[in-house]
Amino acid sequence: MKKLYKIMLGLLVVAAMSFSNKATAQNSNGGFEYSSKCLVTNFWTTDKRASDTACITAYWSVNGTYYTGSTFTYTFPKAGTYQVCMKLKSKCKTWDTTYCKSVVVTACTTKCNWAGMDFSYSNKCRTFTFEGKSSSSGCLKYQYYVFYNNTTTTLTPGRIGTYTFPANGSYNVKLIVKDTCHNCDTFIYKTIGVNCSSCDFKPEFGFKADCRKVKFTAGTVSGATYYWNFGDGSTGSGVDPSRTYVKDGVYKVCLYVSWKDPNTGDYCKKEFCREVVVKCGEPCNLKGDYQFYTSGSTVKFFGSSNNGTYYDWDFGDGTTGSGKDLYHVYKKPGTYKVCVKITDKTRKCTVKVCKTIVIVEPCRVTGDFSWTKGTTAGSFKFKGISTGGYYYVWSFGDGTSGTGVDPSHTYTKPGTYTVCLTIYSKNEKCKTKICKTLVVPTSQEKCILPTGWSQTNTCRDYSFDGYKITGSNGTIYTNPCHKYSWSFGDGTYASGKAVTHKYATNGSYTVCLKVIDTCRKCDTLICHSMIVNCAEKCNWKAKYPNYTTFSAGAKCLVISAGLNTANGPCIKQYYSIAGGSYTSNGKTFRDFTVGKPGNYVICIKLVDTCTGCDTTLCKEVAVTGCCNWTGTDFTITTNNDKCLYTFTGATSSKTCLKYEYTISGGTSGASVTKTGRVVEYTMPANGTYKICYKVTDTCNKCDTTICKTVTVTCACTAKAYFVVDSTNSAGVMYFTNKSSGASFYSWDFGDSSSATSVSPGKHAYKASGSYTICLTVWDANKTCSTKYCVTIKVVKTRSAASSNGISVSVPVNIYPNPASTTFTITTMGYANYEVLDLKGRMITSGNLTNATAINTDGWMNGIYLIRVTNTDGVGTTRLMIQK
């Protein structure tokens, strides 16, 4: 296969050379030139027809590699003489021509170092200044050449050169830099677009009318002459003239500007016309009105009129104000006559408007509401509170409503909802409305909030403590997002998870705990009635100091709780768990067996049968499952040829186990997580890795972790990589193999075809579509391999000969848009780009390969045109620069 490929390539070169001689004899349009730095050689087309990029495409053949475009750069493997051919083909007309040259490439010398050598340019219209990169060496000589239309212009020698281009167009500029000390030189070649329009100015003018006197204002042009036609038979001159019209009317005013363009020397003349309405208006033709909106005792007024300027208000309560729109607050209910006097800017015309406003007794209804998550996904329990409220009407934000103080509602899908509660007074004449945002999360994880509190007391001294939170693994934790507030039922309040309060008198009190999760935006309100009845003889802390505390703990699912001291002769004790009823038990400690892990509140009630006093002590206990991790382990096996490792956990009869591996370390230090008892993972590089195996018992809420280390020394030296150079309109893809350390190759072109050569060079697709190209390479012993894939989009179009004049538009993708300091142009394969302003002036240009970043330093804010050209055609899009 390789031999056949070389034979065909040789025939192509011979035919190209033969045809080149014939083509050269038939035309005088030139061919191509090149410059070489060491082994790096730049090629460019000098045939003037190639500037027509919409029709003409240049195809190159060099050292068995193919390129397209008017310029390209190639690095030869070594010094020598090479045959290079360029073929120009027209899509608009049926012709092509080929040029071939013998290119002599020399190796690098140590005498000259041209690294960084370049030249920049700036322009004022068609006058360009070229500036070569400066050097501390005194041996450098600079010479610029300008090529256009088969002519060559030599500029005055020097590092900085100036040239005025005779007309707009595309020009080739070459700088030769010669090191006279070492007797060597280098070339820099650039294509420059010149686009400078004569008379590039659009005159405009504005005006300001004061009755029939009109003041005109025009933009200025240095050295210009201004002539006006005011549309009423009169004329004038100057930049900012005035004209007083005899009568009202609509006049067509025209401005004529003439000047000499300093950039081109052309004589310019432009015209701009617009209609001007002149109207004084009739005296005192003034009309006015006002609207108002009340909210309690506050009224917002909105004045309006046809020609009014000044608004003076009398609010009917002895106060006044001024301004078109304003607020006023009445101190008491009543009926008020409000008048506004509206005056025009001449203060000669006035109109007065009066209306009656009724201010009612302010509404005394206030309220609020909260909610807690239900046990099912999307379910919520709402609770309203109010002062002066009687009826509660709810709008849940999803098109449904409800009534009552504490309704429940279930949302059918996640999202953000606005929940509103309207609270009415008993006579329904007064109301207040409260709205809040409720988020129903996508995940079904509900907001975890405390379900109650524990309390202890000594006589009327009470200690309250909100329940702790238990996580999914049974761990007790304090949620920093939780905020606690208490209402003790006697008109006093406190905040914090654990608080104390002393009641002044015995009685029945409703104690409420409100907990807000500020992170998940949810809350709960827990209220319980409590009777405080304490005689001074029942001061347990003073009389029975040993009975004021008790201990409680858990092992597996068994809770053990009790007093830390033996019972006295008059003491009886009763136990309660999780809010259940109290049961008598004479033991100092008692065991409770619970059904599942969680938080449980254990209370002991002590009764002094001699005095009739009692006290209650409570504790919260976290219960976790009883887990046995005997035999839990994992093994590591590997296939060193492919760096593939297998991690296998020990089997278990338990059904509640979940498995997870964490692989970290190596040269990058990155961490990767895999789930499952048996997993496979290909190590990305040589190095030492830490593998941690976590097993979780979801039934008993416990877990264990086992960690091991492994040293990887099997990374493959064969690295697959290639680049897509271009894909043309005929569906032919050109690419270059850039793999390293590889001896065997396998190509998959994504269309059921493949190849095994080092570099097939190109591949033709039969139909348009997206294709994934993959290259797999092996090392010399075929002990390991790597794979690299790229997805391309092929769009096949009709040829120019059969397209009936239909042009192909190349898609242009840029981001971000608008841009600030940089933007990126993305394209498939190789292309050229140009950036123009809206006046058609060239800002910058260059070559594209896949994704190319463009720097916008020095650009003005505004709209720019991005034009991309490849073998398929030309595409244009707009870019906004906003800094």
Side-chain angles (χ1 to χ4, degrees), residues 479-546:
N479 192 328
C481 300
H482 287 175
K483 304 297 181 184
Y484 297 78
S485 60
W486 298 82
S487 171
F488 300 116
D490 59 353
T492 60
Y493 307 89
S495 59
K497 180 177 179 294
V499 297
T500 60
H501 181 65
K502 182 178 181 65
Y503 287 93
T505 61
N506 294 339
S508 178
Y509 300 91
T510 299
V511 180
C512 292
L513 168 62
K514 184 174 183 178
V515 185
I516 302 174
D517 189 326
T518 58
C519 297
R520 292 190 175 92
K521 307 300 182 184
C522 57
D523 57 62
T524 185
L525 183 66
I526 311 158
C527 298
H528 295 296
S529 296
M530 183 181 72
I531 297 176
V532 177
N533 186 6
C534 173
E536 291 303 323
K537 66 180 180 179
C538 295
N539 189 341
W540 282 88
K541 183 178 291 186
K543 189 174 181 179
Y544 307 108
N546 294 332

Side-chain angles (χ1 to χ4, degrees), residues 634-639 644-648 661 678-681:
F634 73 101
T635 59
I636 303 175
T637 57
T638 179
N639 178 349
L644 178 64
Y645 279 74
T646 303
F647 309 109
T648 306
Y661 292 88
V678 180
V679 300
E680 290 184 341
Y681 181 67

Side-chain angles (χ1 to χ4, degrees), residues 90-169:
S90 172
K91 295 192 297 184
C92 302
K93 299 180 182 179
T94 306
W95 66 267
D96 60 67
T97 186
T98 302
Y99 305 93
C100 292
K101 284 187 179 182
S102 293
V103 176
V104 178
V105 179
T106 59
C108 293
T109 65
T110 58
K111 293 182 179 180
C112 295
N113 181 9
W114 299 113
M117 181 55 63
D118 198 357
F119 73 90
S120 60
Y121 58 88
S122 60
N123 71 298
K124 183 177 181 182
C125 198
R126 292 199 290 268
T127 299
F128 278 68
T129 300
F130 308 101
E131 183 172 353
K133 187 173 182 180
S134 61
S135 173
S136 59
S137 172
C139 302
L140 301 186
K141 301 296 181 180
Y142 300 80
Q143 179 64 62
Y144 292 93
Y145 299 91
V146 178
F147 304 94
Y148 179 72
N149 199 19
N150 291 328
T151 61
T152 302
T153 302
T154 304
L155 305 189
T156 302
R159 186 175 65 85
I160 300 176
T162 302
Y163 182 71
T164 300
F165 292 95
N168 294 340

Side-chain angles (χ1 to χ4, degrees), residues 66-86:
Y66 303 94
Y67 294 88
T68 60
S70 59
T71 65
F72 76 99
T73 300
Y74 181 76
T75 302
F76 288 91
K78 61 182 179 179
T81 301
Y82 296 86
Q83 185 72 11
V84 179
C85 292
M86 178 196 72

Side-chain angles (χ1 to χ4, degrees), residues 204-209 212-220 225-230 234-245 253-257 276:
E204 291 184 354
F205 67 84
F207 66 92
K208 184 177 181 181
R212 295 192 181 100
K213 183 178 181 180
V214 182
K215 174 71 173 179
F216 297 94
T217 304
T220 59
T225 300
Y226 294 79
Y227 176 80
W228 299 79
N229 184 337
F230 296 117
S234 62
T235 60
S237 62
V239 179
D240 303 321
S242 297
R243 172 63 182 165
T244 300
Y245 290 88
V253 180
C254 292
L255 167 64
Y256 305 92
V257 183
V276 176

Side-chain angles (χ1 to χ4, degrees), residues 471-483:
S472 59
N473 59 357
T475 303
I476 297 176
Y477 66 94
T478 300
N479 192 328
C481 300
H482 287 175
K483 304 297 181 184

Side-chain angles (χ1 to χ4, degrees), residues 456-469:
T456 59
N457 73 292
T458 301
C459 196
R460 290 193 290 272
D461 292 320
Y462 278 75
S463 295
F464 301 92
D465 194 354
Y467 285 174
K468 298 177 182 177
I469 306 300

